[in-house]
Amino acid sequence: MPDDILSTYAQAQPDKPAVIEDRPDGTIVRWTYAELEERSNRLANLLLSLGAGGAGPDAKVLWCGPNSPEVVAVLNAARKTGAIAVPLNYRLSADEARYVINHSDAEVAYVDHEYVPLFAALRDRGELEKVRHIIAAGGPAPAAPAAPRQALAGMLTEADIAAAPSDPPDIGDLAGTGGTMIYTSGTTGKPKGAFRSGAPDPEVFGALLNLFGYRPDDVYLTAGPLYHSGPSAFLRAAQLYGQTMIVQRKFDAEDWLRLVDTYQASSTFAAPAVMRMICALPKEIKDRYDRSTMRVMIANAAPWSYELKKRYVADFPPGSLFEIYGSTELGVDTVLLPEDQLRKPGSCGKPAPGIEIMLVGADGNRITGTGPEHAGEVFVRSNVMFDAYYKNDASYAANSRGDFHTVGDIAYWDDEGYLYICDRKSDMIISGGMNVYPAEIEAVLEQHPGIYETAVFGIPSEQWGEVVHATVVRSAGAAGASLTGAEVTAFAREHLAGYKVPRSVDFAAELPRTGSGKVLKRQLRAPYWAGRGAQVG
């Protein structure tokens, strides 16, 4: 039986802190590598004991809950049993959650105590088509009530986990044959289950982590929910190196800085929305916390604007900022190194180790030219891509060209081989026959001191087909409080071609987002396109 990475560290460094949850109220849960191993083994053996309706090689184990040591345990337990780990975004509505649960065909659900009532309600209404066992994990949060006793009826609990054997499970040659199935954000429709079997290709994954300079003494701090592919992938990378992992149950900007300071956190993965909140904190708050230990900041989930990067390097070590471009399906595809962050504004870097990228034009031919006028759809080939969309072969085939696959992004190369993402193909605006990329406009508008963030999208026009519209979130302070739509368009006109200037502007307190932090432009567009048979872009 192949050596399990957690078991190996539990023997080599049993007393090293593996995972820590430190809540703002002073409650701290700290598991050593030996304790994480024991918990993961007990859970794995419980899963295997459930028989045909349980979890073993290739079975689906759905898990749901905020970041916690228990989540780290189930990720390890699923791997140890050869199962497929299926994270469920706990922010989904009951209807949205039911779709993912049932579509995944999972027969076991491992659920944080806080979300047990959701599963109990679905169960009691007979709406769980395949789930036969629900495991209620963790105890009550200090500031939240425990799951009602009636909700726990018929469920497995912490007592069942504690009663299971603590020895590593033995599944023979099937060890390590599991994988993940992460549902995409659903920015353009129903989420799709991106299935990936086994562990990432060690040569490709190792070369990527070496590029970041990962070390065993790094401390990884979550900066987003672990149900999202990026934070969970880099948490797994941290464990691969035997690092200490700090899990913040729910994100809070100042508390995140407290955790950086307290544990000398040195690496994380952050979406732009999260880092924008951190950098927007008043200087006197940021100055309370030491941020100098941050060594590897992986920027992605959505593109970081040039303005946000400038704010980051003013608050954190400039040499720590790496930007990546990737997706749940295709993994990490490009890397922009720290020395290029401000030298190459708008770029997401060069292809990552082991990654091949080609751009394909509207005519179906490969693009070889450089510059924005030679933009095309991004297709990727590598050994770390996903295997399939679960029960959706048509979608997989539609997005494939031989061994290359796309998620619908549009990009161009520069003459030094750096890639620039223009936008998602589905977000592109066609106005009067001109292609307009919202990301370009958003990057310009965010340079205005009165704009915290913005979402640009197309709305219908009888004359032009579509015109540019901007929904703006004002920044705190005087500049934002007095900002008008006319000022937004005037600022855009100073920096953009006329056809790219927003023809209309509205204001919102915040932008709607998916659980992974991506802006839900579909939701913003919907009122403008209501009643129309088709929507351009």
Side-chain angles (χ1 to χ4, degrees), residues 25-351:
D25 67 355
T27 303
I28 300 177
V29 176
R30 181 183 284 105
W31 291 355
T32 64
Y33 266 91
E35 291 168 332
L36 177 58
E37 164 79 348
E38 179 184 344
R39 168 71 185 218
S40 302
N41 287 343
R42 291 187 188 278
L43 179 56
N45 285 313
L46 175 62
L47 293 172
L48 291 172
S49 73
L50 298 177
D58 296 328
K60 314 292 192 312
V61 175
L62 183 136
W63 61 267
C64 176
N67 298 348
S68 68
E70 287 79 11
V71 166
V72 181
V74 74
L75 293 174
N76 280 286
R79 186 193 64 256
K80 285 171 175 281
T81 62
I84 309 299
V86 185
L88 176 70
N89 175 355
Y90 58 84
R91 293 188 175 99
L92 297 179
S93 69
D95 287 344
E96 292 168 325
R98 183 181 62 241
Y99 172 81
V100 173
I101 295 167
N102 291 335
H103 185 271
S104 73
D105 294 325
E107 296 189 45
V108 177
Y110 177 87
V111 184
D112 185 278
H113 67 95
E114 193 176 337
Y115 293 88
V116 163
L118 166 66
F119 278 74
L122 291 172
R123 176 199 62 186
D124 295 345
R125 292 197 300 266
E127 296 178 1
L128 296 181
E129 297 173 0
K130 297 290 181 66
V131 171
R132 296 176 59 184
H133 302 283
I134 300 173
I135 303 173
R149 185 177 300 275
Q150 62 270 25
L152 290 169
M155 295 186 184
L156 298 163
T157 66
E158 287 289 330
D160 296 285
I161 298 174
S166 61
D167 296 331
D170 186 356
I171 58 172
D173 293 338
L174 294 175
T177 58
T180 61
M181 189 162 74
I182 300 177
Y183 278 75
T184 59
S185 300
T187 54
T188 58
K190 286 285 189 184
K192 298 189 289 289
F195 172 75
R196 180 179 276 105
S197 63
D201 182 283
E203 185 175 342
V204 174
F205 195 48
L208 175 68
L209 298 181
N210 286 336
L211 192 61
F212 298 137
Y214 265 39
R215 303 189 312 228
D217 62 348
D218 278 324
V219 175
Y220 180 83
L221 170 61
T222 61
L226 291 171
Y227 60 70
H228 179 46
S229 58
S232 63
F234 283 93
L235 179 128
R236 286 188 177 95
Q239 184 176 294
L240 186 65
Y241 278 74
Q243 299 172 4
T244 296
M245 299 164 281
I246 314 298
V247 290
Q248 187 182 31
R249 185 172 179 86
K250 293 184 180 178
F251 177 77
D252 175 84
E254 183 176 356
D255 189 57
W256 190 85
L257 290 178
R258 177 185 68 84
L259 295 173
V260 170
D261 185 9
T262 300
Y263 296 99
Q264 298 184 307
S266 57
S267 78
T268 190
F269 173 103
V274 164
M275 194 50 56
R276 191 176 284 113
M277 286 187 276
I278 294 168
C279 292
L281 289 169
K283 185 177 186 301
E284 60 269 22
I285 291 180
K286 290 185 284 191
D287 287 348
R288 294 174 191 165
Y289 307 101
D290 178 22
R291 308 180 296 277
S292 65
T293 57
M294 186 55 62
R295 208 175 61 77
V296 184
M297 166 63 71
I298 307 296
N300 194 247
W304 282 32
S305 68
Y306 184 68
E307 189 64 26
L308 179 56
K309 290 182 180 182
K310 289 196 296 184
R311 295 174 191 167
Y312 174 84
V313 299
D315 287 337
F316 292 87
S320 65
L321 183 57
F322 294 79
E323 183 170 17
I324 62 172
Y325 161 69
S327 61
T328 299
E329 296 94 327
L330 307 182
V332 174
D333 300 319
T334 70
V335 178
L336 187 68
L337 298 174
E339 58 266 28
D340 292 325
Q341 294 297 328
L342 301 184
R343 185 179 77 89
K344 288 287 186 179
S347 175
C348 59
K350 292 185 173 183

Side-chain angles (χ1 to χ4, degrees), residues 290-502:
D290 178 22
R291 308 180 296 277
S292 65
T293 57
M294 186 55 62
R295 208 175 61 77
V296 184
M297 166 63 71
I298 307 296
N300 194 247
W304 282 32
S305 68
Y306 184 68
E307 189 64 26
L308 179 56
K309 290 182 180 182
K310 289 196 296 184
R311 295 174 191 167
Y312 174 84
V313 299
D315 287 337
F316 292 87
S320 65
L321 183 57
F322 294 79
E323 183 170 17
I324 62 172
Y325 161 69
S327 61
T328 299
E329 296 94 327
L330 307 182
V332 174
D333 300 319
T334 70
V335 178
L336 187 68
L337 298 174
E339 58 266 28
D340 292 325
Q341 294 297 328
L342 301 184
R343 185 179 77 89
K344 288 287 186 179
S347 175
C348 59
K350 292 185 173 183
I355 305 295
E356 296 178 67
I357 297 176
M358 72 171 176
L359 304 184
V360 176
D363 59 1
N365 293 322
R366 186 167 188 162
I367 293 174
T368 58
T370 60
E373 66 274 18
H374 295 288
E377 190 169 1
V378 179
F379 282 80
V380 174
R381 178 167 65 186
S382 77
N383 290 333
V384 293
M385 293 196 310
F386 76 135
D387 299 304
Y389 285 125
Y390 189 57
K391 298 191 292 191
N392 195 343
D393 292 341
S395 182
Y396 184 88
N399 291 299
S400 301
R401 290 175 63 93
D403 294 335
F404 286 83
H405 200 84
T406 183
V407 292
D409 291 326
I410 303 296
Y412 65 89
W413 300 104
D414 73 5
D415 55 8
E416 293 184 72
Y418 287 77
L419 193 69
Y420 293 71
I421 301 297
C422 303
D423 228 311
R424 291 193 68 84
K425 187 177 181 180
S426 58
D427 285 338
M428 186 177 71
I429 302 165
I430 303 176
S431 183
M434 300 292 290
N435 292 346
V436 180
Y437 298 106
E440 177 189 6
I441 302 169
E442 291 162 356
V444 168
L445 294 182
E446 286 188 13
Q447 296 176 39
H448 191 291
I451 295 177
Y452 177 71
E453 64 176 334
T454 184
V456 171
F457 51 94
I459 62 175
S461 166
E462 294 299 329
Q463 182 178 5
W464 304 109
E466 286 184 283
V467 291
V468 178
H469 175 85
T471 294
V472 171
V473 177
R474 294 182 175 97
S475 62
S482 62
L483 185 68
T484 66
E487 289 173 327
V488 173
T489 55
F491 182 80
R493 195 168 287 111
E494 293 178 15
H495 301 279
L496 294 165
Y499 66 92
K500 299 178 184 178
V501 174

